[in-house]
Amino acid sequence: MTNRQLLPAALENRRRDIPVVDSLPAKGFPGYVNGLRRMGTVHDVYGWTNVLAHINLSADEAYALTDKRSPHALYELMLMSAGVTARPGLHDHSPEFGRALGVVAARFAEHCRAYELAPIVSWSYDPKTVDRESIQGEKRFHAHLVGRSQAERAAVEARSVRAGRLSIVRSRRIVEEASVLGALISADIVDGDALRVLEPVPALSTHTATATAQFRLPEGWESLASPDLPADLAYVHRKLRRMYDEIMRVCTTGTAGMWRRPMVREFDPQDIDVPLRAATRAALAHYLRGLRPELLSEPVERSRKAYVYPLADLAYAVTVAEQGGQVFLHLRANVFSDLGGAGISIMDGVIVKTKKGVGDMSPAETAGRAAFQADFLRMLHRHPQAARALFPRL
């Protein structure tokens, strides 16, 4: 099958120049086999995770702090929506939920510094996928809180290579063309003056601003605790939603189904009724005209999926990480990749794929993980901002 270059040459060269690591190993719990369970009920959350704390916001909304059964790192925990209704996106929750997440994440970063770890916070949004593997395997909103050791950071620095040195399949799984296109589109449609906390970084100005829509958090990790941040994220989501729906209206025909994608039809890029720069509009048209959704009609081996491009619905992953002494929020558009918020992380400006279940944690490592989590819960409970996390409606 002939590979089609989905980006104009200049953008493709930028994509190929992005530093990546394939991949950073993560040990698992002895005897655990990763499955495809879906936590449709609160009972499932308790049955398939180790719940460390459960905080109710209302009769229909809550969150749980849990120990992930399939670890992405030795030092981590997960914040999961645990209300009666399964809510897939942060914007599907109340402002109080968003503020509680922000306080927990900011305090987690503080806890990581005490352990000399680099904090990374990430989550995915992909609730409706039926035509491919989903980047949000669990449809309840869940944020991964991960601390990376100095040894892991050193390994990433030593092993990073340019994406273009990997095979087409591997480079696309780590930093796909849609991510670059998403960075360009976001720069055009997100009005920086409408944001209260996030500060947009110009698209293509850094490697990470090429692979993601990158935003600076001016107060560092404390920006996550700002009560205005959830509104900023909801605003960005609405802009992306509007853009995606307009692309589908103008450029495709048909519907998505189980391993079935809408088809790209003849279209005039000027008919896409969203304000885009001429260069962005041209890159979008180039990308769409290279898609071949008709090539995949049933599940096949992953290597073939590198050549088929689903168009089922909006999907993206968010990662908050440190880089050059500052803290940034990165939003990565996903179309091909099934790698979600913790499957791909950003460490010191390098896009890193995590490979789970590479060996088993030792008893000492398991105990160290449990101690790290218990220490965090004690710190959170005693912190001056504890009420905003544990009683967010007060």
Side-chain angles (χ1 to χ4, degrees), residues 41 115 152 237:
T41 68
Y115 273 73
E152 288 173 314
H237 174 84

Side-chain angles (χ1 to χ4, degrees), residues 147-161:
R148 291 296 184 184
S149 68
Q150 297 299 320
E152 288 173 314
R153 295 174 68 184
V156 166
E157 181 180 8
R159 295 176 51 200
S160 69
V161 299

Side-chain angles (χ1 to χ4, degrees), residues 11 180-189 243 275-286:
L11 289 178
V180 178
L181 189 61
L184 292 174
I185 289 173
S186 295
D188 289 0
I189 65 176
M243 183 72 218
L276 296 174
R277 291 172 299 135
T280 303
R281 199 176 294 271
L284 174 60
H286 185 286

Side-chain angles (χ1 to χ4, degrees), residues 217-235:
L217 294 174
E219 301 299 325
W221 290 100
E222 289 305 316
S223 294
L224 295 180
S226 168
D228 292 326
L229 182 60
D232 276 7
L233 294 172
Y235 165 78

